[in-house]
């Protein structure tokens, strides 16, 4: 087991290019199983979740070749329509394969997925939608099996605007017979990116990124070359890192249109942010000002994935800030670890009240999930002394070469073995 050792007190400065979006790349890779020919997906980040997805594709029989940040995928012929259980358990996003495999081959069998423990994320909306499209679904012994000679168009109204369900049902519907309408659809930029990819392959998807999506089924999709959008969550994390360290950072390959509310909140904290095309400059002088209130919600509201890193910013602000988490009930697990470092945070159900402190101190802390790990890295950057963040495997799911990424901006972060960490803290 490894950990990250973070030496606090170094102001972040310099330029960093943001990698492609994990949450866009994963459904796009899943959708590639519907294409005939070799797909060429560019700017795919080198992350643990991506590696699990490519392993699954290979297990199914697809040919996958890596060339830098580009993946070549040929799924013209697959040998299996069953996703291996041990791989499903490693990554929740493997559920994205249900829709495209079922749509193309008429059968798919998966086990119930795993992933980070941040709260309840049921897949009932996926299954209800696939049933509406004509799938016969059997659930038993921890497995889900779906069959359909050919899916047919349907009108689907989602109970909540679930990103995963919206994406899965769009992929299933593109090869269905007739027209599908998805109402109360999620609006995240990653959904629009998936639709753009599908349309490039020959699909007919309209309205992705709005709350109503209309899909006209087609007979066949052809492989294409496609570039994944920048990762807005990594962008937001690095913006928060620049603010918390009172830094001066330029980020390349960004899309400010995907981060409107995030940019507004950091400006409220006192950050100077300028935008020029895909180039974003963040400069912070002095401690952050308190942020009156953040409430996480569905896009285009404040993203739940940035709640944890922003809590670190608010923990060192010059006043009192408040966060309400309305998406996942288990997303305050990082609070106890920030308290170990000296943060003053009170939690009442889904609301956290933070009284900013002038200094955090280094400690041994554990990342409970991906974004909690990012929050602890940010805390380590500004803490007095050295912080050791354990459970790095969570962080590796969403941030590519995290110590190198922060190191390019002047942070002092090393990856240590358990034995090295124990020796360093004795």
């Amino acid at each position: 087991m490894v950990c990250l050792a973070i030496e606090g007190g170094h102001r972040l400065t310099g330029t960093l290019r943001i990698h492609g979006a994990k949450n866009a790349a994963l459904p796009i890779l899943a959708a590639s199983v519907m294409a005939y020919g070799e797909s060429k997906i560019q700017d795919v980040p080198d992350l643990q979740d991506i590696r699990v997805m490519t392993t699954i594709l290979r297990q199914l029989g697809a040919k996958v070749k890596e060339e830098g940040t580009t993946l070549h995928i040929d799924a013209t012929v697959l040998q299996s329509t069953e996703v291996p259980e041990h791989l499903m358990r490693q990554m929740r996003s493997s559920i994205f394969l249900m829709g495209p495999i079922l749509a193309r081959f008429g059968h798919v069998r998966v086990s119930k997925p795993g992933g980070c423990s941040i709260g309840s994320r049921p897949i009932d909306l996926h299954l209800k939608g696939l049933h509406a499209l004509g799938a016969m679904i059997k659930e038993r012994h921890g497995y889900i099996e779906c069959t359909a000679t050919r899916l047919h168009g349907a009108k689907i109204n989602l109970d909540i605007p679930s990103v995963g369900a919206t994406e899965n049902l769009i992929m299933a519907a593109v090869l269905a017979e007739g027209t599908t309408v998805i109402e109360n659809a999620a609006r995240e930029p990653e959904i629009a990116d998936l639709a753009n990819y599908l349309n490039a392959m020959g699909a007919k998807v309209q309205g992705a990124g709005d709350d109503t999506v209309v899909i006209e089924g087609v007979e066949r999709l052809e492989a294409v070359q496609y570039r994944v959008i920048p990762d807005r969550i990594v962008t937001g994390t690095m913006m928060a890192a620049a603010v918390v360290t009172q830094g001066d950072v330029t980020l390349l390959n960004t899309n400010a249109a995907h981060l409107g509310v995030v940019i507004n909140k950091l400006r409220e904290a006192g950050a100077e942010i300028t935008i020029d095309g895909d180039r974003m400059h963040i400069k912070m002088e002095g401690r952050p000002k308190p942020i009156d209130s953040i409430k996480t919600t569905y896009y285009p509201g404040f993203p739940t994935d940035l709640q944890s890193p922003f809590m670190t910013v608010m923990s060192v602000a010059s006043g009192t800030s408040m966060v309400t988490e309305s998406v996942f009930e288990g997303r305050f697990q990082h609070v106890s670890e920030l308290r170990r470092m000296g943060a003053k945070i009170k939690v009442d159900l889904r609301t956290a009240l933070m009284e900013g402190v002038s200094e955090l101190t280094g400690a041994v802390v554990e990342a409970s999930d991906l974004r909690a790990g990012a929050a602890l890295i940010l805390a380590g950057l500004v803490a007095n002394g050295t912080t050791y963040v354990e459970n790095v495997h969570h962080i590796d799911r969403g941030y590519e070469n995290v110590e190198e990424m922060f190191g390019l901006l002047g942070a002092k972060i090393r990856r240590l073995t358990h034995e090295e960490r124990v020796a360093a803290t004795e």
Side-chain angles (χ1 to χ4, degrees):
M1 184 177 292
V2 298
C3 76
L4 294 177
I6 306 163
E7 183 182 304
H10 298 281
R11 181 173 183 250
L12 296 190
T13 60
T15 301
L16 175 72
R17 183 186 185 276
I18 300 299
H19 58 67
K22 178 196 83 161
N23 290 337
L26 287 169
I28 285 173
L29 294 179
S32 72
V33 305
M34 295 190 287
Y36 288 86
E38 183 182 88
S39 303
K40 187 177 181 181
I41 314 301
Q42 299 171 311
D43 214 1
V44 179
D46 182 18
L47 302 170
Q48 178 60 26
D49 279 8
I50 298 293
R51 290 191 285 270
V52 172
M53 180 63 84
T54 56
T55 299
I56 291 173
L57 293 176
R58 289 187 175 105
Q59 289 283 319
L60 296 175
K63 298 176 183 176
V64 182
K65 182 177 70 174
E66 300 171 13
E67 189 179 69
T69 61
T70 298
L71 289 180
H72 300 261
I73 303 168
D74 189 340
T76 303
V77 178
L78 291 190
Q79 300 166 349
S80 174
T81 58
E82 180 173 342
V83 181
E85 179 181 9
H86 70 284
L87 294 173
M88 283 290 297
R89 290 182 177 275
Q90 289 183 40
M91 182 187 66
R92 182 173 184 84
S93 296
S94 49
I95 198 69
F96 287 133
L97 287 158
M98 287 184 67
I101 293 177
L102 175 63
R104 183 175 170 200
F105 298 99
H107 174 265
V108 64
R109 187 172 188 261
V110 301
S111 64
K112 294 188 176 180
C116 277
S117 179
I118 58 174
S120 177
R121 293 190 285 179
I123 62 170
D124 60 306
L125 296 181
H126 300 245
L127 301 182
K128 287 179 182 178
L130 292 176
H131 179 71
L133 291 171
M136 295 181 59
I137 300 171
K138 295 180 181 179
E139 293 185 72
R140 55 183 180 180
H141 307 304
Y143 284 89
I144 303 167
E145 186 169 9
C146 303
T147 56
T149 303
R150 187 181 180 187
L151 298 175
H152 55 73
K155 185 174 182 179
I156 302 168
N157 194 313
L158 297 176
D159 294 342
I160 61 171
S162 161
V163 174
T166 300
E167 292 175 330
N168 222 344
L169 297 177
I170 288 174
M171 287 187 282
V174 296
L175 292 179
E177 182 177 8
T179 302
T180 298
V181 179
I182 303 174
E183 296 182 338
N184 197 30
R187 300 167 60 189
E188 274 70 4
E190 295 80 11
I191 295 171
D193 203 37
L194 171 64
N196 290 338
Y197 171 63
L198 291 167
N199 287 340
M201 292 196 294
K204 296 180 180 179
V205 182
Q206 294 182 327
D210 292 326
D211 58 6
T212 300
V213 183
V214 179
I215 307 104
E216 296 285 346
V218 299
E219 294 288 338
R220 179 183 173 104
L221 298 178
E222 301 290 343
V224 294
Q225 177 176 309
Y226 191 81
R227 181 177 296 277
V228 176
I229 59 173
D231 196 311
R232 63 190 171 100
I233 304 303
V234 173
T235 304
T237 300
M238 300 313 294
M239 293 172 72
V243 171
V244 80
T245 63
Q246 301 177 32
D248 188 347
V249 170
T250 298
L251 301 177
L252 308 179
N253 191 42
T254 68
N255 191 328
H258 296 166
L259 290 159
V261 66
V262 172
I263 292 170
N264 289 340
K265 289 299 180 182
L266 288 178
R267 284 175 172 158
E268 183 181 330
E272 178 185 320
I273 301 173
T274 55
I275 299 158
D276 182 12
D278 72 347
R279 184 185 185 96
M280 190 181 298
H281 179 238
I282 306 97
K283 186 176 181 179
M284 185 71 189
E285 294 183 0
R287 286 175 64 187
K289 299 175 184 178
I291 299 175
D292 181 48
S293 178
I294 286 177
K295 181 178 181 180
T296 66
T297 187
Y298 303 107
Y299 187 86
F302 194 91
T304 180
D305 281 351
L306 285 175
Q307 175 256 104
S308 307
F310 266 65
M311 282 187 71
T312 298
V313 175
M314 292 182 278
S315 292
V316 296
S318 57
T320 302
S321 305
M322 185 173 70
V323 168
T324 300
E325 173 57 57
S326 67
V327 180
F328 292 120
E329 71 274 12
R331 207 148 206 182
F332 280 158
Q333 296 179 53
H334 55 286
V335 168
S336 60
E337 303 304 284
L338 288 175
R339 285 173 177 158
R340 286 173 60 85
M341 300 178 70
K344 294 183 178 180
I345 306 173
K346 295 180 180 179
V347 175
D348 182 11
L349 299 176
R350 289 195 175 196
T351 297
L353 197 67
M354 283 143 290
E355 181 184 340
V357 298
S358 59
E359 181 181 82
L360 297 175
T361 57
V364 178
V365 291
E366 293 185 4
S368 56
D369 61 75
L370 167 56
R371 307 306 174 183
L376 296 176
I377 290 176
L378 267 58
L381 292 174
V382 75
N384 180 17
T386 301
T387 298
Y388 300 91
V389 180
E390 298 186 323
N391 293 342
V392 181
H393 64 280
H394 287 309
I395 300 169
D396 290 339
R397 291 184 49 239
Y399 297 89
E400 181 179 280
N401 299 322
V402 67
E403 61 269 43
E404 179 181 334
M405 181 171 66
F406 281 97
L408 289 171
L409 299 176
K412 304 297 181 183
I413 303 180
R414 296 177 297 142
R415 194 169 289 237
L416 304 180
T417 65
H418 177 71
E419 291 75 20
E420 289 172 329
R421 198 275 292 169
V422 170
T425 54
E426 283 183 342

